[in-house]
């Protein structure tokens, strides 16, 4: 018996649990991809697996639906892997430790991967069930969506015949997405020099206790960015004290708001009191500033056991690192003038890492206006160059533009209102979806994005609503039953 046994729909949660047993973080999708291929072959479905490990699966029509236009169902197989500070799990090699309270499904100490494992579970449950009436189905299951949509960018879809698609990568039931922001990743590489440190006592400054979250969906929540906060702390300390920087790191994914960051610094014995007092003061200041949006924020100063001299940033390199972190833009850069309350342009400093010779800073930049996206990237590049750094742009993907006429959207809205007695919300989203890239590969693609309620995605608090999962599955089954013209 599985952990999720007894939850309905039973086969959806069966497959979701099976997926969660297989490590499937971004860039580690081979095992889950092979699982999908094995499923298709076991059931006799034509299946294609490319060198990136994207999977395309084709399921024949039910009796009486052979002449219907094929419908594409689409999701991604990779997940964002985050874990709590004290978690011992190796997410590259171990499956998730699932749990449920009956109302929600979650993973102990890690992200759940409901984004987008639940889409795959829906697809497999539908494909295996011969009692579900449906037109020819074409499944697109991509890799590396969470790190720049690389799978969708590289996939070959020439074998597909459908032009109507349901993307199952949304996290709010009753909301049909019809447009999304475009985006890209940018990486700053800033050269640094090191020198032998003077004698001192070594401490770790850690920013922790933050909520983090998805840099598209939660960018408007006012949550703190741990990397930016650490830069601010070092700047404030530098104004009053002398210290040496040995290491810095924060965040693991550019599209996740970093929830922790840390630096190792050396302090002269006679500077400790001033450093301790300043850190205590900044801790109080930050708690007050983020009391409403990130109340758990905490700045901790802790002595490091291993002492002695270290190779630290020389003075000008340390000054450049701190100044760059202080001045880089972050968060919302503009709101939509067309859609009330929708973020138009933003960036998120998701990854910070200092090695022997370089500081690496990686942003996720998003905008529903391509020229604004490029403008923000240019700003970051100019600022990096001012301090002697360079910028690499990668993983660019287009915005998914709103279509005034959409048969898929119209059919979904009508059916939803019929089933649940209320109109669904039709809106755009600031987060990126693969619909834009796939629309460029499938001429005339008509699609919406949808899904069940999933809360706090990309964080260790992520949880999937059980009843919502059931309702969305029932909606999908009814949608599949509707023939063209009905």
């Amino acid at each position: 018996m599985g952990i999720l046994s007894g939850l309905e729909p039973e086969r959806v949660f069966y497959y979701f649990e099976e997926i969660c047993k297989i490590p499937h973080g971004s860039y580690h999708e081979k095992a889950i991809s092979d699982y999908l291929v094995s499923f298709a072959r076991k059931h006799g479905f034509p299946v294609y697996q490319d060198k990136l490990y994207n999977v395309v699966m084709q399921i024949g029509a039910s009796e009486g639906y052979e002449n219907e236009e094929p419908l594409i169902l689409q999701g991604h197989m990779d997940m964002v892997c985050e874990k709590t500070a004290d978690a011992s799990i190796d997410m590259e090699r171990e499956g998730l430790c699932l749990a449920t309270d009956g109302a929600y499904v979650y993973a102990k100490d890690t992200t759940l991967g409901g984004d987008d494992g639940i889409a795959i579970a829906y697809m497999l449950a539908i494909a295996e069930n011969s009692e579900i009436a449906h037109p020819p189905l074409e499944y697109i299951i991509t890799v590396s969506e969470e790190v720049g949509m690389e799978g969708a960018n590289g996939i070959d879809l020439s074998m597909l015949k459908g032009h109507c698609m349901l993307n199952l990568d949304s996290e709010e039931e009753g909301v049909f997405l019809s447009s999304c922001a475009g985006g890209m990743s940018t990486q700053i590489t800033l050269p640094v020099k090191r020198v032998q440190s003077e004698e001192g006592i070594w401490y770790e400054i850690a920013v922790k206790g933050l909520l983090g979250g998805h840099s598209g969906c939660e960018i408007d929540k006012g949550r703190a960015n741990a990397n930016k906060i650490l830069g601010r702390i070092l700047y404030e300390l530098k104004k009053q004290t002398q210290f040496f920087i040995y290491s810095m790191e924060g965040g693991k994914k550019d599209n996740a708001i970093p929830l922790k960051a840390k630096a190792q610094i050396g302090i002269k014995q006679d500077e400790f009191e001033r450093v301790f007092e300043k850190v205590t003061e900044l801790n109080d200041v930050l708690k007050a500033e983020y009391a409403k949006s990130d109340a758990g924020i905490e700045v901790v100063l802790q002595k490091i056991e291993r002492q002695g001299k270290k190779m630290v940033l020389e003075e000008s390199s340390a000054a450049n690192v701190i100044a760059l972190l202080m001045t880089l833009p972050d968060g919302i850069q503009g709101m939509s003038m067309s859609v009330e309350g929708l973020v138009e342009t933003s960036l998120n400093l998701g990854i910070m890492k200092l090695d022997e010779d370089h500081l690496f800073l990686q942003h996720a930049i998003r905008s529903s206006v391509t020229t604004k996206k490029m403008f923000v990237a240019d700003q970051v590049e100019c600022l990096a160059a001012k301090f002697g750094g360079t910028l690499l742009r990668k993983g660019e993907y287009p915005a998914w533009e709103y279509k005034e006429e959409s048969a898929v959207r119209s059919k979904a809205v009508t059916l939803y209102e019929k089933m649940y007695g209320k109109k669904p919300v039709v809106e755009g989203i600031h987060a990126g979806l693969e619909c834009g890239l796939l629309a460029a590969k499938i001429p005339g693609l008509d699609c919406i994005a949808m899904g069940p309620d999933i809360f706090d995605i990309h964080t260790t608090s992520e949880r999937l609503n059980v009843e919502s999962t059931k309702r969305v599955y029932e909606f999908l089954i009814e949608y599949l039953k509707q023939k063209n013209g009905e």
Side-chain angles (χ1 to χ4, degrees):
M1 296 287 286
I3 298 296
L4 306 185
S5 296
L7 299 182
E8 293 291 339
E10 187 268 335
R11 294 304 284 177
V12 171
F13 282 109
Y14 166 80
Y15 280 115
F16 185 74
E17 187 164 353
E18 290 298 298
I19 290 164
C20 290
K21 291 177 183 178
I22 306 170
H24 56 283
S26 303
Y27 298 136
H28 298 277
E29 300 103 328
K30 183 180 186 303
I32 188 68
S33 179
D34 288 345
Y35 172 82
L36 295 172
V37 171
S38 177
F39 170 91
R41 289 174 176 165
K42 176 182 176 181
H43 290 83
F45 303 140
V47 63
Y48 307 84
Q49 181 187 49
D50 64 19
K51 63 181 180 180
L52 298 175
Y53 300 116
N54 292 305
V55 171
V56 173
M57 198 181 304
Q58 294 175 308
I59 295 91
S62 301
E63 184 178 354
Y65 287 77
E66 296 87 351
N67 295 325
E68 295 295 303
E69 180 182 352
L71 177 67
I72 301 168
L73 299 183
Q74 193 264 323
H76 61 88
M77 67 182 82
D78 63 315
M79 65 173 283
V80 169
C81 293
E82 292 285 351
K83 60 183 180 179
T84 58
D86 57 351
S88 60
I89 185 174
D90 182 347
M91 297 186 75
E92 290 187 11
R93 294 175 175 82
E94 300 177 62
L96 305 179
C97 185
L98 292 183
T100 181
D101 58 8
Y104 295 95
V105 173
Y106 57 95
K108 297 178 182 177
D109 300 326
T110 69
T111 41
L112 174 66
D115 173 20
D116 194 25
I118 194 60
I120 314 307
Y122 280 145
M123 292 188 209
L124 300 187
I126 289 170
E128 73 165 11
N129 191 340
S130 60
E131 296 182 3
I132 297 175
H134 60 75
L137 296 176
E138 299 179 321
Y139 289 176
I140 302 173
I141 308 174
T142 54
V143 300
S144 304
E145 188 271 351
E146 300 289 4
V147 286
M149 306 191 188
E150 297 175 13
N153 188 50
I155 195 170
D156 174 19
L157 299 176
S158 59
M159 75 291 291
L160 298 188
K161 299 179 180 179
H163 296 85
C164 294
M165 185 177 85
L166 298 180
N167 168 284
L168 303 176
D169 188 19
S170 185
E171 295 86 31
E172 190 173 359
E173 183 191 351
V175 176
F176 296 146
L177 301 179
S178 56
S179 65
C180 75
M184 69 169 72
S185 293
T186 60
Q187 184 183 80
I188 296 172
T189 300
L190 179 68
V192 297
K193 294 181 180 179
R194 290 183 180 264
V195 295
Q196 183 73 51
S197 71
E198 301 176 29
E199 288 291 345
I201 305 174
W202 294 94
Y203 289 86
E204 178 182 275
I205 297 179
V207 180
K208 56 178 63 176
L210 306 185
L211 291 172
H214 190 286
S215 67
C217 300
E218 275 80 46
I219 202 69
D220 61 344
K221 302 296 191 298
R223 297 178 182 177
N225 181 310
N227 292 334
K228 290 289 291 181
I229 293 293
L230 183 63
R232 177 179 174 181
I233 291 167
L234 295 177
Y235 174 77
E236 292 293 338
L237 288 177
K238 205 68 175 176
K239 289 196 295 186
Q240 298 185 14
T241 63
Q242 186 177 14
F243 61 88
F244 316 102
I245 299 175
Y246 173 66
S247 69
M248 298 172 64
E249 64 177 315
K252 295 182 179 180
K253 306 289 183 182
D254 63 17
N255 65 352
I257 302 170
L259 45 79
K260 56 186 176 181
K262 61 184 179 180
Q264 289 187 12
I265 64 171
I267 306 170
K268 292 183 178 180
Q269 183 68 49
D270 58 1
E271 295 279 351
F272 174 75
E273 287 300 325
R274 280 196 289 178
V275 171
F276 179 78
E277 290 176 2
K278 190 63 180 177
V279 169
T280 302
E281 175 191 331
L282 288 169
N283 185 63
D284 293 340
V285 167
L286 291 165
K287 281 186 174 295
E289 289 182 0
Y290 289 97
K292 300 295 186 182
S293 61
D294 228 329
I297 190 169
E298 185 178 12
V299 184
V300 178
L301 182 67
Q302 184 175 358
K303 189 175 180 179
I304 296 172
E305 289 185 6
R306 295 182 62 185
Q307 299 296 317
K309 294 184 177 181
K310 297 177 184 286
M311 295 299 292
V312 299
L313 297 187
E314 59 95 18
E315 187 174 349
S316 62
S317 288
N320 280 345
V321 165
I322 294 171
L324 182 57
L325 281 173
M326 274 293 290
T327 53
L328 276 171
D330 186 74
I332 296 174
Q333 303 297 297
M335 299 296 292
S336 172
M337 295 293 102
S338 302
V339 182
E340 184 177 356
L342 179 65
V343 178
E344 176 206 82
T345 305
S346 75
L347 76 166
N348 173 65
L349 177 53
I351 302 174
M352 172 182 65
K353 180 66 176 178
L354 178 64
D355 70 8
E356 288 298 313
D357 302 309
H358 300 90
L359 174 71
F360 299 98
L361 301 171
Q362 190 159 322
H363 286 90
I365 300 176
R366 306 174 188 272
S367 183
S368 52
V369 179
T370 300
T371 52
K372 292 287 189 68
K373 177 179 69 178
M374 303 308 297
F375 171 66
V376 171
D378 288 344
Q379 280 185 300
V380 174
E381 185 167 29
C382 285
L383 193 55
K386 191 68 176 178
F387 292 99
T390 57
L391 188 78
L392 172 66
R393 308 179 191 212
K394 57 183 181 178
E396 184 176 359
Y397 57 92
W400 171 31
E401 297 184 2
Y402 179 81
K403 294 179 67 171
E404 291 293 337
E405 299 293 332
S406 165
V408 171
R409 185 174 68 238
S410 177
K411 178 179 176 179
V413 167
T414 300
L415 178 61
Y416 188 90
E417 187 172 8
K418 178 182 177 182
M419 290 181 68
Y420 301 114
K422 59 181 179 180
K423 285 184 176 294
V425 175
V426 177
E427 65 181 21
I429 189 174
H430 185 57
L433 291 170
E434 293 168 299
C435 303
L437 282 167
L438 298 178
K441 295 173 179 284
I442 305 173
L445 181 66
D446 183 7
C447 62
I448 59 170
M450 56 176 292
D453 288 332
I454 312 176
F455 302 99
D456 296 320
I457 63 170
H458 298 185
T459 78
T460 55
S461 299
E462 182 182 359
R463 58 200 187 280
L464 170 67
N465 184 288
V466 173
E467 284 299 318
S468 179
T469 299
K470 182 174 184 289
R471 286 191 296 270
V472 170
Y473 186 61
E474 291 168 347
F475 175 85
L476 284 172
I477 292 173
E478 289 301 317
Y479 187 98
L480 296 177
K481 289 180 181 178
Q482 305 296 309
K483 293 186 176 181
N484 293 332
E486 289 186 356

